[in-house]
Amino acid sequence: MAFNLIGNLMFSRDLLDPDSKRGSEFLYHTGKVMEFAGKPNVADFFPLLRFIDPQGIRRKTQFHVERAFEIAGEFIKERAEVRERERSDEKTKDYLDVLLGFRGGDGVDEEPTRFSARDINVTVFEMFTAGTDTTTSTLEWALAELLHNPRTLTKLQNLLRTYFKSPNQKLKEEDLPNLPYLSAVIMETLRLHPPLPFLVPHKAMSTCHIFDKYTIPKETQVLVNVWAIGRDPATWVDPNMFKPERFITDPNPRDFKGQDYEFLPFGSGRRMCPALPLASRVLPLAIGSMVRSFDWALADGLKGEEMDMGEKIGITLKKAVPLEAIPIPYRGD
Ligand code: HEM
């Protein structure tokens, strides 16, 4: 779902379509890049080893990046040709059209500049790698937490099923402000399971001092442990429990927009996730639709409360034992 969502945002097409061999190859290679990016690399600790690349991580990553670039390059070239043929500069439809149609410079003193093919390719690739695993792992954790906490699941299902007058009515973006508990479920999921538990590595541009207590020298690589911040008992009551209510009943509920430093699943500041507005709509729409239209059971008759909720660290924080849930269509009372 996440991959097709980004495919539509970028290229206006379902890349995971049985007719699109290139789409599934692209998914495979971007997935491999994410896999290698999450592997511990001794060369990060001993920079002298970078050149030797003892585990072959750089070489393998480069291989998959180049294959993914080749495929994305074909999509981009095809679109550029269509635009050229149809002279469709004004018809801005999707992200790729915006990138292809971009003209920098002021057009008076400066020559108009365009993004190079490589720049567009890198941007496209980054959107897919940054947006796929983060979204799927959050959806997996949200459903797992709901199954693990059946009373919360029932509460959410009852709210959603009574909200709509007709079962044919679809959950839409404009419904979300009327369903704060649904958004609270997503927030609580991101508090406990931020998909990027250390954000992405940052580097101090200059030496800085924090609370006169710590000095971060220039060029230091900084990892922010938002996983631990989200479970800090000094901030959160019952920090390890899944309680979406805290985002409703708390007189000053924290938000994930980057201003509340106790809750930073999307980061903060100028490098924070640019897709927060997208993710904060897509995640509740997906989970809301799934739990409204289906009841859920676990494979092998396992009870939700007995589910293994262990985590596995990689570039994203995944469930150690992948969730195997069986949807049972809900036909009304
Ligand atoms: C559950 C959903 C998501 C979460 C929790 C999330 C979280 C994050 C975080 C923590 C960062 C790094 C911020 C920092 O270090 O300060 C980031 C960066 C980024 N995210 Fe997301 N993300 C999500 C979904 C998406 C989606 C769907 C897309 C694309 C469609 C996306 C595109 C990006 C990009 C391009 C960056 C890099 C920005 C930069 O380097 O300046 N993210 N995201």
Side-chain angles (χ1 to χ4, degrees), residues 167-226:
N168 300 329
Q169 240 177 309
K170 284 208 172 108
L171 176 59
K172 296 206 181 106
E173 196 180 319
E174 54 264 32
D175 296 312
L176 296 179
N178 305 325
L179 295 164
Y181 194 69
L182 175 57
S183 300
V185 164
I186 298 301
M187 289 188 153
E188 184 67 340
T189 305
L190 287 167
R191 180 185 72 79
L192 284 172
H193 311 286
L196 296 175
F198 299 109
L199 302 180
V200 295
H202 290 253
K203 199 177 254 187
M205 292 163 77
S206 54
T207 298
C208 49
H209 306 278
I210 300 178
F211 303 133
D212 288 334
K213 212 169 161 193
Y214 306 101
T215 300
I216 316 283
K218 188 177 172 183
E219 301 284 309
T220 308
Q221 180 163 299
V222 179
L223 300 176
V224 181
N225 189 343
V226 290

Side-chain angles (χ1 to χ4, degrees), residues 126-127 130-131 134-135 138 195-196 199-200 202 265-266 271 273-275 283:
E126 191 179 340
M127 294 296 271
T134 44
T135 308
T138 306
L196 296 175
L199 302 180
V200 295
H202 290 253
F266 292 95
R271 297 307 295 267
C273 179
L283 296 168

Side-chain angles (χ1 to χ4, degrees), residues 260-275:
D260 296 331
Y261 297 125
E262 303 90 354
F263 183 40
L264 295 171
F266 292 95
S268 179
R270 61 182 152 176
R271 297 307 295 267
M272 76 180 287
C273 179

Side-chain angles (χ1 to χ4, degrees), residues 270-318:
R270 61 182 152 176
R271 297 307 295 267
M272 76 180 287
C273 179
L276 184 150
L278 174 74
S280 59
R281 288 168 175 82
V282 166
L283 296 168
L285 283 176
I287 281 294
S289 306
M290 282 156 73
V291 302
R292 175 191 169 212
S293 305
F294 298 96
D295 288 319
W296 292 86
L298 288 170
D300 303 324
L302 189 74
K303 285 208 170 72
E305 297 93 319
E306 295 162 3
M307 198 192 324
D308 182 336
M309 298 295 277
E311 300 166 316
K312 187 174 83 176
I313 184 85
I315 190 97
T316 51
L317 189 70
K318 297 214 163 129

